[in-house]
Amino acid sequence: MDAINYDSELKRAGADSTHGWRKLTFLAQRYMLGTIGLFIMVMFVWVAASANIICRFDPLSVDSAHRLTAPSALHWMGTDSFGRDVWSRIVHGARISLAVGIGSTALGSSIGVMIGLASGYLSGWVDLVFQRITDILQALPLLVLALVMTAALGPSLPNVIIAIAIPLIPTVARVIRANTLALRELPFVEAAKSIGMSETRIALRHVLPNTLAPLIVLATAQLGSTILTEASLSFLGLGIPEPYPSWGRMLSESAAEYVRVAPWLVIFPGVAISLAVFGTNLFGDALRDILDPRQRG
């Protein structure tokens, strides 16, 4: 399979491919939706990192004198039923959502890579055992399995990360296994064996790096689903415990009782969740098109 030669496309477009900045500009213009998704992701990362600077109020501070205050110059997104500033809670909630999304994606992908690489390269009984395990994990949808794991482990940030990471393992393992099965038959693997290189070194040094492109695309796509899953768990009361701000729990506390009298309690957390998932999906689709020539339009 031939890789996309962006250098030749840059030359045909009249750009100098020796300059990395011009290449990035070319890709940004070619994949405009992906650029928008990347901008949204960078914006959320910046907001989460600057939470202590851009927030005027403590997200955990209760002020009964300003309960259910509508959005104003003082409270940009209003206050909740405890008088807590909604803007501060959404901004600090971004930290939790990103921590859960990145943490669970990294953990699930790491374990999935090890299983998929061992399963595809070693084959035999190792492949048989690992594939039966992944079959069992894939029998349940991500949210259902995450619910079971969270209920068993208890609601806390580390437990939520683990609970969401486990359902991600079989998908990553399947993708890495499929790529490993194809790569181990290629001439460079035979050449490595002919010079006496160990199987472990071949798998880690030569096969694994060639599976990183599909892994990056898959991990980016899964990041949005992990953020949505965390919001769903918190909405059901099994995610991040109080009093820590979580977008899903903010919806859960407000949707039923205050949606009519204080709609901002539902609108702003919902928009935050939608934007985060939307941004990661857009960027993941663009990244897939860039790294996988079969997806090229």
Side-chain angles (χ1 to χ4, degrees), residues 140 143-153 163 233 238:
L140 293 173
L143 180 58
V144 175
L145 186 54
L147 280 170
V148 174
M149 294 300 302
T150 307
L153 297 174
L233 291 175
L238 294 174

Side-chain angles (χ1 to χ4, degrees), residues 276-287:
V277 176
F278 185 61
T280 54
N281 287 342
L282 285 181
F283 181 65
D285 289 343
L287 200 60

Side-chain angles (χ1 to χ4, degrees), residues 72-88:
S72 62
L74 182 61
H75 298 283
W76 297 346
M77 294 184 178
T79 61
D80 62 9
S81 58
F82 294 97
R84 298 173 297 190
D85 185 65
V86 174
W87 162 252
S88 299

